[in-house]
């Protein structure tokens, strides 16, 4: 940790969880490293781009945080008074096209493989690869403990605004400090939230797992991912069903996942994790704050075979709405209210903040993006994570641990999930007990 500091701050609930997982296996891969690779067309001024990155660290001091544990066992984030931006430039112009592509892949892989030391800030780094006279790739590697997806969008837009202004952010709106959110968290009514979660999870006697044992712990394996899309006509019909009945698409996703879990586990009382935004609307400036706000909380859904799909979805939305004010406890605290350990080994996330690379460079006069790739998006330490990306064709991304699932099994789970979504789209009046998730061969 550098000498001198500006502040010592507590951690948000998910920051505590990510710090635990970073320390759990310091030798294996850290799945909570996020990476963006942007290929530019146009002549990039590397000095200006580096100055823009340095300006971001000054504008958002929490991006410079290092994470340590006090003697009392309490984790804190320490904001140093000064920190250097990790910046690396690579010139690949001398290579042939094929060799250049391979070398660039090596750069991306090396940045991913190099673990962050959570005590040594900043937990981000930039690499700029020059491919030819007017083609560059910028690779930003950042630990998830610093930012969520919404914050990444804010940061990237501002990075290129600062590139245009040579690092001068006086023309940008004042940045709302992340510490204001942490202060709000400390004042939020925790006792009431404990009581609400105790009631919501009462009667649970065992975890809801697809794989046996303590498998939700981190493992020394890199998760893999499959991607499947829901056809445009089915996606459109789902959106229409949700709109006409006052439901969110996230509710439809949670209902479908609950039905699938019920089939896979043989249970009528299922639990899985979900990611919530964690941004309290009453906090001034929350929409433009940069930090980690999201949280993972349990979703418990009790299935009744005689209930219609529409009634099930309506009930799910009502039950989740009742928990909105109580999403700010850590998952560990919520699970303690039940007392049976980890409650689930699958999670869902509805990505309502898709990264739009074209928006990033709107403020830059002389750059355009030729390609954009996000790595680590939708990846967690859980055995199976479903990420749903809203688009004309709903995109379904299932990240899985290959030490626990083989690809064929996950592809089958994806096919079953699509079948449930089709059932919801085609006949919301269908009874829960009549939903068919079997493949043709199984039938």
């Amino acid at each position: 940790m550098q000498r001198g500091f500006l502040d010592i701050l507590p951690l948000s609930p998910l920051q505590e969880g990510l710090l635990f997982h970073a320390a759990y296996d310091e030798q294996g891969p850290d799945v909570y490293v996020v990476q963006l690779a942007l290929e530019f067309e146009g002549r990039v001024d590397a000095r200006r781009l580096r100055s823009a990155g340095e300006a971001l660290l000054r504008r958002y001091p929490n991006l410079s945080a290092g994470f340590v544990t006090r003697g009392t066992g309490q984790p804190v984030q320490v904001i140093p008074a000064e920190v250097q931006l990790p910046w690396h430039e690579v010139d690949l112009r001398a290579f042939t096209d094929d060799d250049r592509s391979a070398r660039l892949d090596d750069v991306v892989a090396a940045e991913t493989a190099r673990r962050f030391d959570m005590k040594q800030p900043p937990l981000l780094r930039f690499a700029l690869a020059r491919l030819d006279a007017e083609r560059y790739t910028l690779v930003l590697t950042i630990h998830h403990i610093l930012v969520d997806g919404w914050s990444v969008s804010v940061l990237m837009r501002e990075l290129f605004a600062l590139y245009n202004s040579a690092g001068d952010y006086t023309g940008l709106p004042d940045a709302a400090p992340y510490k204001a959110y942490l202060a709000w968290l400390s004042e939020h009514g925790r006792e009431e939230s404990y009581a609400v979660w105790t009631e919501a999870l009462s009667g649970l006697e065992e975890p809801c797992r697809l794989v046996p044992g303590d498998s939700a712990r981190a493992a020394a394996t890199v998760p893999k991912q499959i991607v499947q899309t829901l056809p445009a006509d089915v996606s459109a019909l789902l959106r229409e069903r949700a709109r006409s009945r006052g439901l969110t698409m996230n509710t439809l996703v949670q209902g479908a996942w609950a039905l699938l879990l019920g089939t896979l586990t043989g249970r009528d009382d299922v639990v899985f994790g979900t990611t919530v935004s964690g941004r309290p609307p009453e906090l001034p400036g929350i929409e433009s704050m940069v930090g980690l706000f999201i949280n993972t909380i349990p979703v418990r859904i009790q299935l009744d075979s005689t209930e219609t799909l529409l009634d099930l979805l309506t009930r799910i939305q009502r039950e989740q709405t009742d928990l909105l004010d109580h999403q700010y406890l850590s998952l560990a605290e919520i699970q303690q209210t039940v007392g049976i350990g980890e409650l689930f080994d699958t999670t869902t996330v509805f990505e309502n903040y898709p990264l739009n690379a074209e928006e990033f460079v709107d403020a830059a006069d002389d750059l355009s993006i030729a390609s954009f790739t996000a790595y680590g998006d939708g990846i967690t330490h859980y055995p199976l994570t479903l990420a749903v990306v809203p688009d004309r064709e709903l995109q379904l991304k299932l990240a899985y641990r290959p030490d626990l699932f083989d690809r064929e099994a996950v592809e089958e789970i994806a096919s079953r999930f699509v079948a449930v979504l089709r059932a919801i789209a085609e006949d919301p009046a269908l009874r829960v007990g009549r939903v068919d998730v079997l493949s043709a061969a199984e039938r």
Side-chain angles (χ1 to χ4, degrees), residues 237-248 252 309-311 313-314 317 424-429:
L237 186 54
L238 267 181
R239 285 192 291 269
E240 172 57 27
R241 297 295 193 197
R243 185 198 61 77
S244 64
R245 289 159 174 81
L247 301 171
T248 67
L252 270 61
L309 289 174
L310 177 58
D311 288 342
L313 296 169
T314 302
Q317 184 154 302
I424 293 172
E426 292 169 359
D427 187 7

Side-chain angles (χ1 to χ4, degrees), residues 240-431:
E240 172 57 27
R241 297 295 193 197
R243 185 198 61 77
S244 64
R245 289 159 174 81
L247 301 171
T248 67
M249 286 294 289
N250 189 32
T251 294
L252 270 61
V253 167
Q254 291 183 348
W257 192 250
L259 288 166
L260 179 56
L261 274 185
T263 298
L264 296 176
T265 62
R267 297 170 53 133
D268 58 11
D269 189 354
V270 299
V271 186
F272 54 92
T274 196
T275 300
V276 293
S277 73
R279 291 179 181 254
E282 63 269 30
L283 188 60
I286 190 66
E287 69 283 347
S288 60
M289 279 188 190
V290 168
L292 185 66
F293 298 87
I294 60 172
N295 196 19
T296 299
I297 61 171
V299 177
R300 180 196 190 180
I301 297 176
Q302 294 170 295
L303 302 171
D304 179 352
S305 62
T306 66
E307 198 172 25
T308 68
L309 289 174
L310 177 58
D311 288 342
L312 169 66
L313 296 169
T314 302
R315 175 167 60 84
I316 290 173
Q317 184 154 302
R318 182 177 65 251
E319 291 172 352
Q320 294 306 301
T321 299
D322 290 343
L323 293 171
L324 282 177
D325 289 337
H326 308 284
Q327 298 176 345
Y328 305 98
L329 292 181
S330 71
L331 180 58
E333 291 173 309
I334 294 172
Q335 292 184 144
Q336 284 171 7
T337 67
V338 184
I340 58 174
E342 294 178 324
L343 297 178
F344 52 83
D345 65 0
T346 69
T347 64
T348 67
V349 56
F350 189 81
E351 297 185 352
N352 56 359
Y353 49 83
L355 298 176
N356 186 344
E358 291 302 322
E359 292 181 0
F360 297 164
V361 294
D362 281 349
D365 295 334
D366 51 357
L367 291 180
S368 63
I369 290 183
S371 67
F372 167 67
T373 307
Y375 302 91
D377 189 29
I379 302 293
T380 73
H381 71 280
Y382 290 97
L384 186 63
T385 295
L386 167 71
V388 178
V389 182
D391 208 337
R392 182 173 177 273
E393 293 184 333
L394 211 64
Q395 189 179 72
L396 314 174
K397 299 186 292 187
L398 281 99
Y400 64 96
R401 279 181 32 192
D403 59 321
L404 299 173
F405 290 97
D406 59 45
R407 185 178 183 87
E408 291 75 17
V410 178
E411 288 174 342
E412 182 62 35
I413 289 173
S415 297
R416 291 173 185 262
F417 184 64
V418 167
V420 179
L421 291 177
R422 281 184 177 275
I424 293 172
E426 292 169 359
D427 187 7
L430 186 68
R431 302 285 177 183

Side-chain angles (χ1 to χ4, degrees), residues 25-171:
D25 181 6
E26 294 183 343
Q27 303 305 315
D30 191 337
V31 301
Y32 292 106
V33 171
V34 179
Q35 196 173 65
L36 305 179
L38 298 95
E39 182 181 338
F40 301 113
E41 291 179 346
R43 190 173 294 275
V44 173
D45 186 328
R47 182 176 298 178
R48 281 172 57 199
L49 191 54
R50 182 173 184 172
S51 295
E54 292 168 342
L56 280 179
L57 292 184
R58 295 193 300 272
R59 182 165 162 80
Y60 298 103
N62 55 297
L63 293 180
S64 298
F67 295 80
V68 299
T69 301
R70 285 175 159 165
T72 60
Q74 177 195 18
V76 293
Q77 47 188 316
V78 179
I79 314 297
E82 185 176 347
V83 70
Q84 296 295 315
L85 176 74
W87 178 269
H88 178 53
E89 293 183 33
V90 182
D91 192 339
L92 303 178
R93 289 176 293 174
F95 297 96
T96 64
D97 287 346
D98 289 343
D99 286 346
R100 188 184 302 126
S101 178
R103 295 276 180 162
L104 181 59
D105 288 344
D106 290 343
V107 170
V108 171
E111 291 295 314
T112 304
R114 187 154 54 99
R115 286 184 64 111
F116 287 106
D117 181 344
M118 306 303 282
K119 298 177 183 179
Q120 296 295 328
L123 306 183
L124 59 82
R125 50 183 176 259
F126 287 84
L128 181 65
R130 186 170 186 178
L131 308 179
D132 59 36
E134 295 195 351
R135 199 158 60 95
Y136 298 74
T137 293
L138 175 68
V139 181
L140 168 61
T141 307
I142 185 167
H143 200 285
H144 197 3
I145 201 169
L146 296 180
V147 292
D148 53 24
W150 187 281
S151 297
V152 170
S153 292
V154 174
L155 282 179
M156 297 308 290
R157 286 195 299 269
E158 292 199 0
L159 176 69
F160 293 106
L162 291 165
Y163 174 81
N164 218 37
S165 65
D168 180 4
Y169 53 78
T170 56

